[in-house]
Each structure stands twice: as C-alpha cells, then as structure tokens.
Amino acid sequence: MNIIRTTAVELTAIPAIAYKQKLYSGGAGIKIYRLDQDVSTVFTIDRRTGEGIPYGKYDADLFPDEAVNEALELTIGLPYTSRGKFKISVFEEAPDQVEGQEAVQEDVAETETEKVDMVNSEEYKALIDRYTNEKGKINYTLMNKDFIQFASRSKVVENRVAEKASLEDILIFIVKSRSAHLAGKKDSLSDQETTALIETLDEIDPRSAFKELTLHIRRLLAKNSR
C-alpha cells in the first residue's frame, strides 16, 4: 500500500520527527511524532499564511509552538512521495500500538485522496525530477522561470490571450503542455487532472507553486485589454 507523504525530518526543539501528508479532508497536514513517548499530533497548513492549525485536540506542552514552526519550516518544499509506513521502535512501551494507529489514520487518508492522486503520475514525477534541488526541495523559482519561458514562446498562449481566455484556462494549458513535454508524453492530462496536479504542488508550498507564472499571465491579459 502506498502512502502519500514527504520524507521525515528530525526536530531539534523537541525529540520528534515530522512529515507532511495528504489529509482525508483535503489539503496537506504536518504529522509530528514524539520519539520519547507514545503520542503524535497533526496540524493543517493555512493556504494563505502557511501557518499550522491544530487538526483536532493536542497537548501544547508536548507540541510547543517552536516545534510546530520548525516542522513547518523543514517540510516546506518537500515533494510528496509514495512510500510504506514508518516503523518507529524508540518507545519503551507498546511500539506495535503506535504502528497500528498510524496504519488506521493513513489508510483513511489514502482512500479519500485516491481519486485525485497525481503523485504517481508521470507528469508529477517529471516535475519533481527536474526541479528538486540538492536539499530535496522543489526549486519553485526555477520551475516558474521555465514555465514562463515556455509561455512566452507559445503561439497557443499568445492566441488565447488575444481571445481573452480566462487566467485559469491559460494556466491549465501551460502546465498541461509543459508537464507532458517534460514527461516525454504525446498525450496531455485532462483539465481535471491538471488542476489536481497544480493543487498537489500548491499543497507542498502554500504560497502557490505557480505564483510567478500566474502573475505573468495576469500581465499578459492586462496588456491585451488596453
């Protein structure tokens, strides 16, 4: 069974590890495991601010703000991967119970996100392979620069701007076309799949994966409307 999440990172604020995972309710969450006792918690990520929001009840003494902020910072830009369950055996008591608890929680996450899972797509893997830096994080600046260069050369984009197509339609076309090229595929994703791909990349960095590209499209549309 594949679980969609990032590589685990070790925290210094408290004895714990953290990783990003898809939530069954949608969006991304940060899961934090204490390494010195049998307890964990999950925080959602605010898409506007990038801040962590408790996903249910939690003990603030066990998971202080500095630890949560460190977990958020260390996992920013880490791409989702498909991997098996973590096996944590540092607890003095009931390690099997911890593993079972994780299996229940994350099996739900996979079931609910299966229909829109783009992590195993060739397009997603191609983007990760091309734009992941030496620290294992996505270089959004490079990705946006590359996509903007493609948009600037595209006759189709030029025509759609002239026809006053919507920003969303132009963005989907650019991402669809460029990701297909990088994946070496002749057939492109559907609009729905492309939207899911963009949303997946946005979850990795809540500041918006294609922020610069979106601003570029806005400028093109504004210039054409004069």
Side-chain angles (χ1 to χ4, degrees):
M1 181 178 294
N2 292 325
I3 304 299
I4 300 170
R5 60 172 166 223
T6 59
T7 303
V9 295
E10 186 173 359
L11 306 184
T12 60
I14 58 173
I17 61 170
Y19 58 83
K20 187 184 297 178
Q21 70 177 63
K22 277 183 174 290
L23 300 173
Y24 67 84
S25 58
I30 302 294
K31 189 161 189 173
I32 306 175
Y33 267 114
R34 291 281 307 209
L35 297 177
D36 56 348
Q37 51 190 299
D38 181 0
V39 63
S40 65
T41 190
V42 176
F43 283 77
T44 61
I45 303 175
D46 190 306
R47 290 287 298 275
R48 296 172 302 162
T49 65
E51 297 178 349
I53 302 173
Y55 194 65
K57 295 181 180 179
Y58 82 107
D59 190 329
D61 291 330
L62 293 176
F63 301 98
D65 289 343
E66 59 178 330
V68 176
N69 291 335
E70 182 183 14
L72 290 167
E73 181 65 26
L74 291 177
T75 55
I76 285 178
L78 286 178
Y80 288 128
T81 56
S82 296
R83 45 184 292 152
K85 300 178 181 65
F86 290 116
K87 187 172 183 179
I88 302 173
S89 57
V90 297
F91 305 113
E92 294 183 0
E93 298 180 358
D96 291 338
Q97 181 180 0
V98 174
E99 177 67 17
Q101 289 173 351
E102 181 181 353
V104 171
Q105 293 173 1
E106 297 203 279
D107 285 355
V108 173
E110 183 184 27
T111 299
E112 296 294 330
T113 58
E114 189 173 4
K115 293 182 179 180
V116 293
D117 175 17
M118 295 302 296
V119 176
N120 290 315
S121 68
E122 294 179 32
E123 289 80 2
Y124 174 84
K125 293 176 181 177
L127 292 175
I128 298 305
D129 288 344
R130 184 175 181 89
Y131 301 113
T132 299
N133 60 27
E134 65 279 0
K135 295 181 179 179
K137 298 187 176 185
I138 299 177
N139 187 331
Y140 286 99
T141 300
L142 178 60
M143 183 171 71
N144 275 268
K145 181 180 179 181
D146 191 5
F147 277 57
I148 289 172
Q149 288 178 343
F150 166 80
S152 299
R153 296 191 302 264
S154 173
K155 188 66 176 178
V156 175
V157 171
E158 181 182 342
N159 290 338
R160 293 198 177 189
V161 170
E163 295 166 358
K164 298 182 179 180
S166 70
L167 186 153
E168 181 180 3
D169 286 344
I170 297 174
L171 176 63
I172 288 176
F173 168 76
I174 294 171
V175 175
K176 178 192 300 186
S177 302
R178 187 59 181 158
S179 60
H181 173 76
L182 293 176
K185 296 176 63 176
K186 293 183 179 180
D187 297 329
S188 300
L189 297 172
S190 66
D191 286 359
Q192 182 179 9
E193 289 170 329
T194 305
T195 299
L197 176 62
I198 294 172
E199 290 175 349
T200 298
L201 293 168
D202 279 345
E203 289 173 3
I204 296 172
D205 187 337
R207 291 168 295 190
S208 177
F210 293 106
K211 181 178 180 180
E212 289 80 8
L213 175 59
T214 300
L215 290 174
H216 175 73
I217 298 171
R218 288 186 188 279
R219 287 193 291 267
L220 292 177
L221 290 172
K223 183 178 180 180
N224 183 66
S225 64
R226 294 173 184 171

